[in-house]
């Protein structure tokens, strides 16, 4: 039991979620290492969403609303930390959700599938081994792609991603939105838009922005959305994100 008065309460709560996900069998052991690495970068940005990250979230939402077939790709870490938030985002931007795992096993896929279905999301993609396609030039288990999902997607959210997949997906003509706390990672550099923020803050923020756009009818204003996307530079975004890291 983590006391709410603990100065590291939020951080310890996320660690607990990751630890439990490993115990429950749907998170690979290396996923705990990945979380710790991301946590260290979160410390460096003050564990808060920067103005730069907010702009990246806004550009991402605009890109989602311009997409014909948006897909949210989820792995073990994403499921452990933000399953409910991912579902809410998918609803508001009308996106599909697809399971994609580096250490892919039938057991892990089954557990994650059940978790989504228990929350009312029945149409989870990337589960049927017999109907999966494979992304060209990607030599890892993450090459799997649902025929109705990431295989034909034009815009994809790939939170907590590995860089080689992000790069190949871009080479295959897809616009890739990454959530990565490390602004100098391969994923961050190869993606179309990189949100340098903690997934537990970034996904709810995107949902909030998307909801506000819809309330104002801006989700159907193509000129407005294209202006946001066209004015966004991921190169400048990463430079500004790196500048926000403070070594104390």
């Amino acid at each position: 039991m983590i006391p709410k008065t603990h100065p590291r309460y939020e951080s310890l709560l996320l660690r607990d979620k990751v630890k439990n996900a490993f115990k429950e069998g749907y998170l690979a052991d290396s996923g705990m290492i990945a979380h710790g690495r991301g946590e260290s970068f979160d410390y460096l940005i003050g564990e808060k969403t920067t103005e730069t990250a907010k702009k990246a979230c806004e550009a991402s939402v605009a890109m989602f609303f311009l997409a014909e077939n948006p897909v949210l790709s989820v792995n073990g870490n994403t499921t452990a930390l933000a399953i409910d938030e991912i579902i809410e985002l998918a609803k508001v931007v009308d996106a599909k959700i697809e399971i994609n795992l580096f250490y892919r096993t039938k057991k892990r896929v089954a557990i994650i599938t059940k978790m989504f279905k228990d929350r009312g999301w029945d149409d989870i993609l990337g589960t049927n081994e017999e109907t999966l396609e494979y992304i060209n030039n990607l030599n890892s288990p993450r090459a799997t792609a649902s025929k109705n999902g990431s295989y034909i997607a034009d815009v994809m959210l790939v939170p907590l991603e590995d860089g080689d997949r992000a790069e190949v997906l871009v080479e295959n003509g897809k616009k890739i939105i990454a959530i990565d706390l490390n602004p100098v990672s391969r994923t961050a550099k190869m993606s179309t838009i990189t949100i340098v923020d903690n997934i537990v803050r970034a996904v709810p923020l995107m949902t909030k922005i998307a909801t506000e756009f819809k309330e104002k009818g801006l989700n159907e204003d193509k000129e407005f959305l294209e202006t946001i996307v066209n004015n966004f530079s991921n190169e400048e975004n990463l430079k500004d994100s790196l500048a926000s890291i403070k070594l104390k």
Side-chain angles (χ1 to χ4, degrees):
M1 184 70 177
I2 304 170
K4 290 187 176 181
T5 55
H6 194 288
R8 305 287 326 138
Y9 174 74
E10 295 295 336
S11 178
L12 291 175
L13 193 64
L14 296 183
R15 289 186 197 177
D16 207 45
K17 287 184 177 181
V18 169
K19 178 189 68 176
N20 290 337
F22 173 69
K23 287 183 176 180
E24 291 165 15
Y26 68 91
L27 180 71
D29 52 5
S30 61
M32 294 189 288
I33 298 172
H35 178 76
R37 184 175 59 214
E39 185 181 69
S40 66
F41 279 94
D42 205 9
Y43 289 167
L44 295 177
I45 63 172
E47 296 176 285
K48 62 182 180 181
T49 301
T50 65
E51 289 302 316
T52 301
K54 290 177 183 177
K55 292 178 182 177
C57 284
E58 184 178 60
S60 299
V61 169
M63 188 172 283
F64 276 133
F65 281 134
L66 288 168
E68 292 184 5
N69 189 32
V71 172
L72 312 184
S73 178
V74 298
N75 58 11
N77 288 72
T78 302
T79 303
L81 296 173
I83 183 171
D84 295 316
E85 292 80 2
I86 284 288
I87 290 172
E88 288 306 308
L89 178 60
K91 289 177 180 177
V92 76
V93 300
D94 194 22
K96 299 170 183 175
I97 301 176
E98 180 172 334
I99 298 172
N100 183 275
L101 307 173
F102 189 87
Y103 298 101
R104 186 183 178 96
T105 66
K106 291 183 179 180
K107 178 182 177 181
R108 292 184 69 203
V109 171
I111 294 172
I112 293 173
T113 299
K114 184 177 185 302
M115 290 176 69
F116 275 92
K117 289 188 174 182
D118 285 348
R119 287 164 171 79
W121 192 272
D122 294 324
D123 192 21
I124 184 81
L125 303 179
T127 61
N128 190 336
E129 300 284 344
E130 296 180 359
T131 62
L132 288 175
E133 297 286 351
Y134 292 86
I135 301 295
N136 292 333
N137 302 319
L138 185 56
N139 299 316
S140 83
R142 299 205 75 169
T144 60
S146 170
K147 290 181 180 179
N148 298 317
S150 60
Y151 195 71
I152 60 170
D154 52 348
V155 175
M156 290 181 62
L157 175 70
V158 290
L160 315 181
E161 185 60 62
D162 53 302
D164 60 336
R165 180 172 178 244
E167 181 177 8
V168 170
L169 289 173
V170 170
E171 289 174 352
N172 276 265
K174 304 178 190 301
K175 294 178 180 178
I176 299 302
I177 300 167
I179 300 176
D180 193 333
L181 278 158
N182 180 1
V184 296
S185 72
R186 185 178 178 188
T187 301
K189 293 178 179 179
M190 295 300 171
S191 297
T192 313
I193 297 175
T194 302
I195 303 168
V196 181
D197 198 10
N198 194 315
I199 188 172
V200 301
R201 297 191 298 268
V203 175
L205 179 56
M206 281 191 282
T207 300
K208 180 176 181 290
I209 294 170
T211 300
E212 291 173 352
F213 278 13
K214 292 182 81 171
E215 288 174 348
K216 298 176 182 178
L218 297 174
N219 61 305
E220 297 180 352
D221 187 337
K222 189 174 181 180
E223 183 177 351
F224 168 79
L225 298 172
E226 287 180 341
T227 297
I228 293 176
V229 172
N230 292 336
N231 287 340
F232 181 85
S233 165
N234 201 46
E235 183 177 355
E236 292 301 315
N237 168 55
L238 294 179
K239 287 181 181 178
D240 292 343
S241 298
L242 191 59
S244 70
I245 292 178
K246 296 180 176 60
L247 299 176
K248 298 181 180 179

